[in-house]
Amino acid sequence: MIQKELCRIIGQREIAADIYELTIKANLVKEISEPGQFVHIRVAKHDPLLRRPISISSYDKEARQLKMIYRKEGKGTTLLAEMVEGMEVDILGPLGNGFPIEEVSAGETALLVGGGIGVPPLYELSKQLKAKGVKVIHVLGFQTKSAVFYEQEFLQNGETFVTTVDGSYGFKGFVTDIMKDLQFDILYTCGPTPMLRAIEQKYSNKKLFLSLEERMGCGVGACFACVCKRPNDLSGVSYKKVCSDGPVFRAGEVFI
Amino acid sequence: MSKLNIELPGLKLKNPIMPASGCFGFGREYSQFYDLSLLGAIMIKATTVEPRFGNPTPRVAETAAGMLNAIGLQNPGLEKVVGEELPWLSQYDVPIIANVAGSVEEDYVAVAREISKVPNVHALELNISCPNVKHGGITFGTIPEVAKQLTWKVKEVSDVPVYVKLSPNVTNIVEMAKAVEDGGADGLTMINTLVGMRLDMKTGKPILANRTGGLSGPAVKPVAIRMIYEVSQAVSIPIIGMGGISSAEDVIEFFYAGASAVAVGTANFVDPFVCPDIIEKLPALLDRLGFEHISECQGRSWKEHGQRTYHRA
């Protein structure tokens, strides 16, 4: 069930250039069903008016803790980045459907591919897959060295390749350059739309799950702001909502 | 004794609070948060004859204290709304106001004829003011004679009272209101969104794929208040007011301006519990202001002291 809760901030730190990790204490953690779900955060009364959708990067049900990683970019995330430990933040969640971990079995290999601020939700996924006995390989793409985060955390769960577009850290190039040499049974990915599109084109023969991003209004499926078309739809009117049907979709389910 | 019950053409409302069309889907999403029977009424998402996908994304952009939207009347079409959505809503003790949209006059007439026969539809809201569709919508809402004619045609076929949703994107909204009153409208709903635009800092191009969108949220409230203040003095049919309402105080202000009930739109996106919260807070606010019943607030901005109020149940 989706909850609305005033949650206490128990930690906030900048982990890369303009990338923040926010930790909160929240009862709604018990409602999380899978990695890749998100929360909707209200950062101001009227300006900005709408909530910000932010993915859950990890959670601990026993400790009732939830971590989110976001990029300080617009007005809303700038206000959020100014909040400190002890303050309360209005959260709606958990929202959406995440990555299905039941699609892979112990002993199989999962490839997790993240781009930029699409990397965070893969962290909880990685933890849960490892705990299940799945071999996990990560390919994490960033723009430049100062934007890289969580490399050590991912390394604890499995082999991790980091790429930067400008070559200032790790491998120079895109995540797809690394992916072509890797063997795996299932592929989970989250990142910018051009990256998702490229991955879907190249790996449509694989078991593939993609997490999409879209501008949202309500976050619960009522406003129809974040709809996407379905492929091979002759009627032209069939759709999926990123917020409530997604944000994670099976390859081919929606038109990216 | 209730302080909030209101009677309007076709509508016996437990309270004058209802979610606005387009901001509540067909109720399913919000039914996971609270019992929809708490609401005074529900204005369902605009319905057209055929299913519509609507506009490409991005469909929303934020502005100071508001948002622009250009959804484009996405809806599953008349057959599905009548066959699935309205029957589903009938499990709740709440009257439905069906928002009727179309591209040409015949579309409006066809939707109105069918949807007004559904038992839980107690009134229609004629959408002549959607700024986000290429044909129909707002073109009917900016020319008084056209609006009057359309109202008349829909009145002829509707089994329930017809409210007309007015656009603020006109030079003279009083003229529009009088025209639809002449056309036989039983009530007005106002205001729809204001046409606006936002540009992307990096590209310099519009953020919305539709380029323009409708502005809603707290930013538009003073415009709505002014327009309801003007229109409520010029017509004798009741007004359901809307435009940036997010608190019990906002509701009272709309009543003062001349509204007889209100709809809450964008605020539902920010706080899914906003409608029941407002309903809960209104009685205490009325007490504090010295009113026994919310109808006593209606038109206070322009009525002579002691003048009797209308629409009290």
Side-chain angles (χ1 to χ4, degrees):
Chain A
M1 261 246 324
I2 303 168
Q3 311 279 319
K4 190 183 85 157
E5 186 180 347
L6 270 181
C7 305
R8 189 164 298 279
I9 294 173
I10 54 174
Q12 163 115 280
R13 61 188 186 114
E14 191 172 3
I15 56 172
D18 285 334
I19 306 288
Y20 288 77
E21 181 201 67
L22 178 69
T23 310
I24 56 163
K25 198 94 174 166
N27 289 319
L28 56 81
V29 169
K30 65 180 188 299
E31 305 289 340
I32 298 174
S33 56
E34 51 194 4
Q37 290 182 287
F38 67 101
V39 294
H40 224 191
I41 306 190
R42 188 173 183 181
V43 293
K45 188 171 193 305
H46 281 334
D47 191 16
L49 184 63
L50 298 174
R51 290 170 183 267
R52 329 314 296 174
I54 296 181
S55 65
I56 298 166
S57 56
S58 64
Y59 57 89
D60 180 338
K61 289 201 178 190
E62 241 166 63
R64 294 187 298 117
Q65 281 189 19
L66 171 69
K67 282 189 199 290
M68 291 159 272
I69 295 169
Y70 61 94
R71 181 163 53 212
K72 183 173 99 172
E73 208 167 15
K75 192 184 279 175
T77 44
T78 299
L79 283 172
L80 187 59
E82 284 165 7
M83 297 183 82
V84 294
E85 203 176 315
M87 291 172 92
E88 282 184 326
V89 58
D90 178 345
I91 295 196
L92 186 70
L95 301 174
N97 301 295
F99 296 105
I101 60 167
E102 68 279 4
E103 291 281 340
V104 59
S105 312
E108 290 188 308
T109 300
L111 178 61
L112 277 54
V113 180
I117 206 62
V119 167
L122 299 177
Y123 181 58
E124 179 66 35
L125 175 65
S126 170
K127 285 204 309 188
Q128 292 194 17
L129 290 175
K130 192 194 174 203
K132 192 180 168 175
V134 175
K135 185 187 172 204
V136 194
I137 304 172
H138 316 99
V139 181
L140 312 175
F142 300 93
Q143 280 296 325
T144 186
K145 186 180 177 183
S146 63
V148 177
F149 61 89
Y150 263 41
E151 186 187 9
Q152 291 308 314
E153 283 83 347
F154 277 98
L155 264 171
Q156 285 173 17
N157 299 333
E159 202 176 355
T160 302
F161 302 89
V162 173
T163 71
T164 50
V165 177
D166 63 4
S168 56
Y169 189 82
F171 298 87
K172 180 176 168 39
F174 295 101
V175 291
T176 40
D177 302 332
I178 300 286
M179 290 172 68
K180 60 182 189 291
D181 301 321
L182 300 171
Q183 300 296 317
F184 53 90
D185 301 296
I186 189 167
L187 174 54
Y188 298 98
T189 181
C190 181
T193 305
M195 183 191 101
L196 298 183
R197 204 175 284 141
I199 290 174
E200 192 181 37
Q201 275 166 12
K202 286 193 180 111
Y203 297 96
S204 55
N205 56 331
K206 289 280 186 183
K207 204 188 256 188
L208 166 60
F209 293 89
L210 312 103
S211 183
L212 271 59
E213 194 180 39
E214 184 56 78
R215 279 172 187 268
M216 290 180 190
C218 66
V220 300
C223 76
F224 289 79
C226 64
V227 297
C228 41
K229 290 199 183 246
R230 310 203 60 186
N232 310 315
D233 166 37
L234 295 175
S235 70
V237 295
S238 100
Y239 63 90
K240 290 275 180 184
K241 298 172 198 164
V242 174
C243 70
S244 56
D245 297 319
V248 176
F249 294 99
R250 187 185 286 270
E253 212 178 336
V254 294
F255 187 77
I256 298 174
Chain B
M1 204 189 80
S2 171
K3 293 170 178 290
L4 300 180
N5 58 320
I6 290 280
E7 216 164 297
L8 298 176
L11 302 165
K12 275 189 181 167
L13 309 175
K14 295 188 269 286
N15 62 70
I17 311 299
M18 59 193 87
S21 179
C23 301
F24 208 71
F26 294 92
R28 290 181 194 265
E29 292 79 15
Y30 289 94
S31 70
Q32 63 189 319
F33 296 109
Y34 60 88
D35 178 4
L36 301 184
S37 302
L38 290 169
L39 297 166
I42 296 174
M43 293 168 143
I44 55 170
K45 193 155 172 50
T47 300
T48 53
V49 177
E50 299 297 331
R52 281 199 195 185
F53 180 79
N55 293 323
T57 56
R59 293 176 168 188
V60 293
E62 275 183 285
T63 64
M67 69 179 278
L68 293 169
N69 89 80
I71 308 297
L73 298 182
Q74 180 162 22
N75 78 94
L78 180 62
E79 197 182 320
K80 257 211 164 125
V81 173
V82 168
E84 290 174 24
E85 301 298 343
L86 287 166
W88 180 83
L89 275 165
S90 70
Q91 67 183 294
Y92 297 102
D93 174 28
V94 60
I96 305 300
I97 301 174
N99 187 292
V100 173
S103 303
V104 293
E105 196 175 275
E106 292 72 32
D107 294 347
Y108 284 92
V109 168
V111 174
R113 182 185 283 126
E114 291 310 311
I115 212 163
S116 68
K117 291 191 182 111
V118 181
N120 53 338
V121 172
H122 291 214
L124 302 186
E125 180 182 45
L126 205 52
N127 189 348
I128 59 167
S129 46
C130 178
N132 298 326
V133 289
K134 286 196 178 63
H135 303 288
I138 202 161
T139 54
F140 290 100
T142 48
I143 306 167
E145 261 316 300
V146 178
K148 178 181 169 180
Q149 163 87 2
L150 183 70
T151 306
W152 182 254
K153 293 274 170 159
V154 168
K155 271 297 286 179
E156 274 186 337
V157 300
S158 177
D159 285 358
V160 295
V162 176
Y163 292 69
V164 179
K165 188 164 191 172
L166 297 184
S167 169
N169 304 302
V170 293
T171 313
N172 187 343
I173 196 162
V174 170
E175 195 187 355
M176 288 301 302
K178 282 181 166 169
V180 299
E181 186 180 34
D182 281 351
D186 298 285
L188 302 170
T189 67
M190 58 191 286
I191 56 175
N192 208 318
T193 54
L194 289 130
V195 182
M197 184 184 272
R198 269 210 61 201
L199 305 177
D200 184 275
M201 264 305 114
K202 285 179 194 147
T203 64
K205 301 282 187 250
I207 291 174
L208 296 171
N210 189 53
R211 299 195 298 275
T212 61
L215 177 65
S216 64
V220 310
K221 201 184 90 179
V223 180
I225 295 287
R226 186 268 293 179
M227 289 184 161
I228 291 167
Y229 173 83
E230 289 176 356
V231 168
S232 62
Q233 296 178 70
V235 299
S236 54
I237 49 178
I239 296 170
I240 301 175
M242 62 197 66
I245 294 175
S246 65
S247 68
E249 285 77 7
D250 291 341
V251 173
I252 300 297
E253 199 176 340
F254 272 73
F255 269 76
Y256 284 164
S260 298
V262 297
V264 179
T266 305
N268 289 290
F269 301 155
V270 182
D271 178 2
F273 296 97
V274 66
C275 287
D277 273 0
I278 289 175
I279 293 163
E280 196 190 320
K281 284 180 180 141
L282 269 175
L285 178 59
L286 289 169
D287 283 346
R288 210 155 61 238
L289 295 168
F291 296 112
E292 279 177 29
H293 194 275
I294 194 164
S295 57
E296 293 162 23
C297 306
Q298 199 260 335
R300 207 173 167 82
S301 57
W302 51 266
K303 277 179 190 167
E304 293 295 324
H305 198 63
Q307 193 177 335
R308 284 188 61 84
T309 52
Y310 317 114
H311 317 308
R312 176 151 179 192

